Structure formats: structure tokens, C-alpha cells
Amino acid sequence: MLELNQESFYVTHHIQKIAAFFAAMENFAEKLRADGHQVIYKHVDAPGNTGSLNEELSKIIVSEDIGCFEYQQPDEYRLEKQLSEFCTSLSIPSKVFDTEHFLCGRDEFTAHFAGKKTYLMESFYRMMRRKTGILMLGDEPLGGKWNFDHENRSKLPSKYHLPQIPNIVNAISQVLERIQNANLPSIGSIHNSAIAWPINRAQALQILQHFAHNLLPNFGTFQDAMTEKDAFLYHSRLSFALNAKLLHPLEVINTCIEAWIENPERIALNQLEGFVRQILGWREYMRGIYWSQMPKYAHLNFFEVERKLPDWFWTGKTKMNCLHHAIDQSLEHAYAHHIQRLMVTGNFMLLAGIHPDEADRWYLGIYIDAIEWVEITNTRGMSQFADGGIVGSKPYCSSAAYIQKMSDYCAGCPYDSKTKTEANSCPFNSLYWHFHVRNREKLERNPRIGMMYKTWDKMQPDVQQAVLRKGDSLLQNIENL
Ligand code: FAD
Ligand code: SF4
């Protein structure tokens, strides 16, 4: 097992992310040794660690007199390419094995969509439900419906008690020392040299059990809610444990189903189905999209946008309260929940015309769970619509109205969420129209967006001009918003 600095230079990662990966690797190595395996483990600052996968593997092949090189399919295209090229350079035989960590094979995904014009997540999700029998009664979905979304997604009530979360404190000063010794670049903060992310299976299982019994009862209901007061709400915080393979997706789903069977009064089916859809549906779907579309996916830029990400994305220092909170929280915890990523930071980047490479660089660096297969499909696809509609049938964007409805951010914001063209008007309101007008040619024929242009066309020309002027001036002053 190799801590490699090659993994720290393709993008600048959050310090908690680097530390969590190294700590989880080290714990896993110890577990393997305790089980009687022989493990070679190299620290990132160990003398002679070149930081290159190829060089380190070559050295081990010679020093251990290895007769055959075998590896499991990695999750990233970059690494798959590197490993398959490495194999062609070897004078010993090599073999690659499929990964056991997902529920849908790469070929299975391709076969499901063969001959279809669009990659509809819903059709994939239903296929996965049928294939696995999860939440099924024979060939019918449990509860008579595939999707209970309309019962979910409420705003938080004004009198709201923050849910308790397990108190995990992993002291990682030795890992931090190694990161410092190796001069690895990083972003974000870490408090008291400790992280609250799980770094072994016991901790991952503790978070999973806590989620299934205490948070799942409200998961779907408040899935889209956002508040200044709490970063995690009823979200599971399991993405790192899943992506680092401390947990298998099936055991996550089964634990939640067991909790529901034990206590159906407390956990309604809509909460359970909403959660299962994230793991069995979205997570597997994103992986399928990644492997069916790479490497060209990493260069898609449907709107042909060029703008650089404003500097305040790296500091959180913006007057826009929603962005200030979502960014600050990301720098502090290496975490933001889905709607903060999609409808706050992603929404702003889309409306402002930020280059998708810049968007990817930010998302891939900052989040504890960011690994390219799931980051790029969510960012370039779902959030930025840079794939022109492979993942989503229309861009996910909104004016201030959505953020106002789903959060308490606007109440504490110097901008006015209700107006478009005043000096203190919320930037989302004019940028929303600016985005649609400048991309009219690319979007107008989309049946899900056509109505938007009808509304725009009905506005008075002087109002239209004022909105576009406001949008122009905001984009010119983007660093000072
Ligand atoms: P919960 O809300 O509790 O959801 C449960 C689980 O469902 C998650 O742990 C995750 O494994 C899965 N899941 C939910 N939504 C998605 C989705 N859209 N795609 C894939 N899996 C999903 N997720 C990542 O794991 N890594 C990323 O790098 C990542 N980047 C994102 C970038 C953008 C712009 C957006 C909009 C979303 C991104 N997501 C990413 C998806 C989602 O936001 C995170 O999985 C989720 O916020 C993680 O927090 P949680 O574990 O508390 O999730
Ligand atoms: Fe965000 Fe606009 Fe609301 Fe301020 S007013 S919090 S910028 S949506």
C-alpha cells in the first residue's frame, strides 16, 4: 500500500481528505496484518518514496521477486490508464480483476442503455430494483410506487432541534506530520489535528447504524433543506465510507431496510425509498455514466464557457450569504450536502458561466468524498450541464426563489431575494435570466425549458434591458459579490 504524492498534484485536495485516506489506508493495512497477510506499506515521507505509482511498483516487483502482477479495476480512468500501460511495460504476466464494490457492472450499464437515445436514471433505477429485488414485491415496487419524491423535500420547521451525530474524533497528528514533511499542497482547515470522518470499518458501521435508526426517519422529508445552523441535518455522511470502500453499498441499503422492518411506524417507506434511490440509483448510475463516457466526458463544455472561478470560492469571503455558508462549511468540514452543492455553489457557477474545468477542480479538491467517477458526473453533468443533457434533461438552476424557499440563508443576507435590478438585488435573480438569454439558441428547443422563454418574451423590453445590464455588471464585478 502506497501513500503517493502523485495523488496530490492533479488537483489540490482538502487537508481532511488527504488525511482521512492515509489514515484509513493505514488502519486497513493493520487489519490485514492482524489477519495474517503480508503487507508492504510505504509512508508518503518515507526515504526513497518517489511518489510515482509506476516507479514504486517496479521497485517492489524486483525486491520481492514478484512472478505475476495482479490488480483490481480502479475507480478512476486516470489510474486505469496508468495501470494498463504499466502492465504493457512489464516482463512478467499481469491480470486485472473486476471490482466487487458496486452493484452494477460496467458492461451491464452499457447493455441496459444499448440502442436507447437517452440515459434515463429512472429506467436504470427500476432495472436495478428488479435485478436486486430491493424494495420489490414480485415484479411490483413495494408500496405500489417506484418513487415517493412528492412526499419528500420540505423546508425545516422554524422550531427545529438539531439531530445528534456520533462523536467520532480521530487524532491524526502523525498523518498530518507526514503530509507536512512531504510538502503536499492542501486547502481547507482541520481542528486540533483530528477529523470526524470514519477511518475504519467499526466507525463506518457506527455512523451507518446511527443513520438508519436516528436520521433515516426524516431523511427524505428534509433532504433538500438548508440552514445556517447545521451542516449535516439528516444526511448520512456515508459518502466517504462508501467511496473509500469501508462499507459496501449493499450493506448500507440492507441496514436501512432492517431498521425499517424493525420499526415501520417510525421510518416511513417514502424515507427509505428516497435513501435507497440515492445508493442503488444515483450512485450506480453516475458510475455507469462515467465509464461509458470517459475520457471524452472530461472535456465537454456544452455552453462553451470560459470564466474563471472567483477567488472567494477558496475563502468563503462573499456577501452572498448562501454561498458564504456553503463554501465556509466546505472549507471547515470538507462537506456540503447535495442541495448545497447543486443549488447554491453549482447553481452560481452555472449561471455565471464558469468553465467546467474550474468547477471540477473545485469540487474534486474540496469534498471528502470527491473521487473523479462520482465528482465529474455530478459536476460537469448534473450541475453544470456541460454534457449537454447526458445526465440531466435540463440544467438544474434557479433564481433566489428556490434558495429562499428551502433555506434560512436569505433572511441574513445583505442582498434582497425578491428583486432583480436594484443595487442590492440578489445576483441569482438577474443572472438566472442572463444565463437563459445568452444560451437561448442551445436551450430554447428543450421542451422542459420552452416556457421560460415565453415568460421572458412577455416582459417589457425596458425590464429585459435592465435585467441584462444588471447581469453584465455583476459578471464584470464577480470578484466583489
Ligand atoms: P446523503 O444525502 O446521505 O445520501 C446518501 C448517499 O447516496 C451518499 O453518501 C452517496 O453515496 C449517494 N448519493 C446521493 N446522491 C448522489 C449522487 N448525485 N451521485 C452519487 N451518489 C449519490 N458525491 C460523491 O460521493 N462524491 C463527489 O465527489 C460528489 N460530488 C458532487 C458534486 C456536485 C456538484 C453535486 C451536485 C453532487 C455531488 N455528489 C458527490 C453527490 C452528493 O452530493 C453526495 O454524495 C452527498 O452530498 C454526500 O453526503 P452524504 O453521504 O451525507 O449523502
Ligand atoms: Fe443567496 Fe440571494 Fe438569498 Fe442572498 S438573497 S442568501 S445571495 S439567494
Side-chain angles (χ1 to χ4, degrees), residues 235-239 243 278 335 338 341 369-370 375 378:
H235 292 274
S236 68
R237 302 185 306 141
L238 287 170
S239 50
N243 297 352
Q278 307 308 316
Y335 180 89
H338 187 67
R341 299 185 201 193
D369 53 33
E375 176 281 323
N378 271 293

Side-chain angles (χ1 to χ4, degrees), residues 447-474:
R448 298 191 61 202
I449 312 183
M451 274 302 290
M452 202 75 65
Y453 290 102
K454 292 204 172 95
T455 309
W456 172 256
D457 291 340
K458 279 187 200 146
M459 281 184 208
Q460 295 299 322
D462 57 331
V463 177
Q464 290 178 336
Q465 288 314 313
V467 170
L468 294 180
R469 265 200 311 275
K470 178 77 182 175
D472 282 339
S473 112
L474 290 168

Side-chain angles (χ1 to χ4, degrees), residues 387-449:
D387 63 4
I390 296 174
V391 165
S393 53
K394 79 177 191 51
Y396 278 97
C397 61
S398 81
S399 63
Y402 178 84
I403 298 172
Q404 216 274 334
K405 183 171 146 225
M406 294 311 301
S407 78
D408 54 13
Y409 294 142
C410 299
C413 184
Y415 289 108
D416 180 357
S417 65
K418 298 275 181 311
T419 61
K420 288 196 272 295
T421 54
E422 308 300 314
N424 70 340
S425 292
C426 171
F428 279 101
N429 291 341
S430 49
L431 289 179
Y432 177 77
W433 289 113
H434 198 277
F435 164 78
H436 281 100
V437 171
R438 64 176 195 264
N439 293 304
R440 186 163 189 154
E441 215 175 289
K442 290 183 193 274
L443 294 177
E444 192 171 25
R445 280 183 299 283
N446 183 321
R448 298 191 61 202
I449 312 183

Side-chain angles (χ1 to χ4, degrees), residues 171-226:
I172 45 151
S173 44
Q174 286 179 359
V175 179
L176 292 176
E177 213 176 285
R178 297 208 294 275
I179 293 172
Q180 208 172 15
N181 290 342
N183 284 321
L184 302 189
S186 69
I187 51 169
S189 55
I190 194 160
H191 298 291
N192 301 324
S193 301
I195 50 172
W197 296 104
I199 55 171
N200 55 44
R201 249 183 83 71
Q203 291 178 348
L205 288 168
Q206 187 191 350
I207 294 186
L208 171 59
Q209 284 295 338
H210 178 85
F211 170 74
H213 294 280
N214 301 289
L215 307 177
L216 182 58
N218 286 309
F219 174 80
T221 309
F222 300 120
Q223 201 177 340
D224 289 2
M226 299 176 278

Side-chain angles (χ1 to χ4, degrees), residues 220-273:
T221 309
F222 300 120
Q223 201 177 340
D224 289 2
M226 299 176 278
T227 174
E228 288 183 350
K229 299 181 198 85
D230 187 18
F232 306 108
L233 299 170
Y234 296 95
H235 292 274
S236 68
R237 302 185 306 141
L238 287 170
S239 50
F240 172 73
L242 276 161
N243 297 352
K245 290 146 181 182
L246 296 171
L247 295 176
H248 191 277
L250 197 55
E251 82 181 316
V252 172
I253 293 173
N254 283 341
T255 304
C256 292
I257 293 176
E258 279 157 26
W260 169 71
I261 291 170
E262 266 172 42
N263 205 340
E265 257 91 71
R266 190 149 179 261
I267 304 171
L269 184 58
N270 62 310
Q271 316 288 348
L272 178 66
E273 188 282 318

Side-chain angles (χ1 to χ4, degrees), residues 38-54:
Q38 292 180 352
V39 182
I40 298 170
Y41 192 101
K42 217 170 227 190
H43 286 153
V44 70
D45 63 344
N49 183 344
T50 59
S52 143
L53 179 61
N54 292 15

